[in-house]
Amino acid sequence: MPRAPEIQNTWARLREAGRALGARDQEANLGALAMLLDELALPSSEIRRHLATTLPEATGFHPANLRAGLELALANWTGEALRNLVRRELGEDASQRARGFDSTAVLLGGALPMPSILSLVAPLVVGSPVFARSGRHDSVTAATIAAALNRLDPELGACLSLTTISRDEREALDAFLRAECVVATGSDETLAEIAGRIDPGTRFVGHGHRLSVAVIGAEADPAQVADALALDVALWDQLGCLSPIAAWVLAPDGEVPASLEAELVRAFGQVAQKLPRGTISPEAGATLAQERDGAELRAASNERVRLHVGEGWTLVIESSSLTGPAPLHRFLRLHPVPDLASLQTSLAPLAPRLAAVGLAAGPDEKARILEALGPLAPSRIAPLGRMQAPPLGWHHDGQGVLWPLVRFTDIEV
């Protein structure tokens, strides 16, 4: 178990490695990281096979679901996408310079591998050595990335170290957080605790609780919507911030169309067979049962509320446009809204935490729906079926990928 002196020694080694990295041609650093992403994008690569075979046991995701999630998410996270991201965010403007911090501490969280990959790679892109702690739900991804970097470019690999310190090792944790930049993913409570432990001058980049929803236009094709929405809900068992927790259907008569309801029941069942749900904790199972029981009671007294339950999935047709608790693990509420004003009112309480909106709409209504979603300012609006495939440079939490990790200097002379 590492103690504070070990952490301090690791920081000293990382800072020395970072200085050596800074003396190298920056194109060499970017090229190695581009190679890493190109390998990750290939299902046949060693690193992808390792993730696909070891993550199911570590995270609880079913192997088929995990393979499908990696395939969709990493296909476009290529070396070229990384170079485009660097050009877009850091550019070649001679009037400004961007410099990464001398040290970046990264606290990973959650069970999805993609956020962890990006949290490790992004500081290295800007030349900052990384000391990272894996989250308790994924002990595989960070170690896999570190091993791959050591193989591709040992000098760059020396700029990434991992630790397993716990939140109870206060002295060691304080030593770990003694970096110029701290990046953390976790609950709001965790982020508040970390923010309270770091020095005021430290750059703190926190990724806290976020959620996503789906919006279905009145002109959207029911079968296509059902297949796409079922996939977005099933991938990663609805545990990512880009997983829709509820869907709103524009229905002028205030009723979810029977054709859409029937197609969703079909699609949820088909996807569950192809991509079975993974393991869930007893606590999560109890919460799911509680929400199902509540829906069953409401359905018994209100014919507009209907409950559909399959192997590892739950679909609730609600009568209200206001959503309820989200137990996740493939539990989706479907809400009818008569018009766009009602849609805005229904989504407004979620706006401060809105990561993405998955949209399905006919050509004549898409522009009106996009305009209605504008004031809610979600970080991303994507087609249904692509919610789990964000571009490498998407504005997570409404900000850039590299911008928060650098200090800019404007040159006016």
Side-chain angles (χ1 to χ4, degrees):
M1 185 176 289
R3 294 290 182 269
E6 296 174 53
I7 299 294
Q8 292 163 354
N9 289 339
T10 301
W11 269 130
R13 181 179 59 74
L14 280 170
R15 290 188 172 99
E16 183 63 32
R19 283 190 284 273
L21 189 70
R24 292 204 323 178
D25 179 1
Q26 294 308 300
E27 172 54 31
N29 300 338
L30 183 57
L33 293 167
M35 286 172 55
L36 173 69
L37 292 190
D38 283 338
E39 284 201 14
L40 280 165
L42 283 176
S44 60
S45 68
E46 177 185 340
I47 184 172
R48 268 287 289 280
R49 289 202 305 271
H50 183 72
L51 288 175
T53 54
T54 55
L55 276 173
E57 182 176 352
T59 62
F61 293 123
H62 189 279
N65 192 356
L66 199 138
R67 286 194 300 271
L70 290 174
E71 176 64 28
L72 187 64
L74 295 178
N76 295 317
W77 282 27
T78 62
E80 183 57 30
L82 181 64
R83 292 180 185 280
N84 288 337
L85 171 64
V86 171
R87 281 192 289 268
R88 190 184 77 186
E89 293 202 5
L90 304 183
E92 299 174 351
D93 187 347
S95 68
Q96 67 179 29
R97 291 175 184 165
R99 180 182 176 83
F101 293 92
D102 289 344
S103 54
T104 299
V106 176
L107 295 102
L108 302 171
L112 276 65
M114 287 74 64
S116 295
I117 292 170
L118 194 54
S119 291
L120 296 172
V121 168
L124 294 173
V125 170
V126 297
S128 180
V130 175
F131 199 1
R133 187 191 74 176
S134 293
R136 61 189 175 94
H137 298 294
D138 175 9
S139 58
V140 170
T141 299
T144 304
I145 296 300
L149 268 182
N150 275 320
R151 171 174 54 82
L152 290 169
D153 186 334
E155 197 168 1
L156 185 59
C159 293
L160 171 60
S161 284
L162 308 178
T163 183
T164 57
I165 54 175
S166 73
R167 62 193 305 172
D168 297 327
E169 296 177 88
R170 302 182 70 81
E171 189 178 349
L173 184 58
D174 285 340
F176 173 75
L177 294 174
R178 203 152 295 152
E180 289 193 343
C181 178
V182 174
V183 178
T185 301
S187 67
D188 292 346
E189 293 76 15
T190 297
L191 296 190
E193 180 184 345
I194 294 169
R197 298 175 75 97
I198 62 178
D199 294 334
T202 300
R203 175 73 58 85
F204 181 54
V205 184
H207 300 294
H209 174 58
R210 303 272 282 170
L211 55 86
S212 294
V213 302
V215 172
I216 302 166
E219 301 171 6
D221 179 80
Q224 293 179 6
V225 166
D227 288 332
L229 181 56
L231 180 64
D232 282 333
V233 171
L235 287 174
W236 309 113
D237 289 341
Q238 210 180 14
L239 297 180
C241 70
L242 295 177
S243 299
I245 61 165
W248 278 261
V249 184
L250 283 162
D253 62 357
E255 296 282 349
V256 172
S259 58
L260 177 60
E261 182 177 344
E263 290 289 353
L264 282 168
V265 172
R266 170 196 60 77
F268 271 57
Q270 289 180 344
V271 170
Q273 289 187 347
K274 183 179 178 183
L275 307 174
R277 193 181 67 184
T279 58
I280 63 174
S281 67
E283 294 78 13
T287 303
L288 268 173
Q290 179 180 343
E291 291 303 323
R292 281 179 181 169
D293 291 346
E296 190 170 12
L297 283 174
R298 286 182 286 111
S301 60
N302 183 349
E303 64 179 13
R304 295 181 61 209
V305 177
R306 295 179 291 281
L307 172 66
H308 301 280
V309 178
E311 184 65 36
W313 60 271
T314 305
L315 180 65
V316 183
I317 309 301
E318 299 282 5
S319 60
S320 168
S321 62
L322 298 178
T323 197
L328 310 180
H329 300 281
R330 308 194 190 187
F331 183 107
L332 187 78
R333 302 178 194 274
L334 211 65
H335 301 276
V337 284
D339 50 44
L340 292 173
S342 299
L343 176 67
Q344 287 180 316
T345 300
S346 302
L347 294 182
L350 308 178
R353 297 185 180 277
L354 202 50
V357 175
L359 176 62
D364 294 334
E365 61 182 352
K366 183 183 293 183
R368 297 195 303 275
I369 297 176
L370 286 174
E371 185 175 356
L373 294 175
L376 303 171
S379 299
R380 179 169 170 251
I381 300 175
L384 276 187
R386 298 287 301 172
M387 293 184 71
Q388 308 292 351
L392 184 65
W394 79 287
H395 291 93
H396 190 193
D397 291 353
Q399 58 186 347
V401 176
L402 304 177
W403 288 332
L405 304 176
V406 299
R407 288 169 296 193
F408 281 102
T409 299
D410 294 331
I411 311 297
E412 301 176 17
V413 295

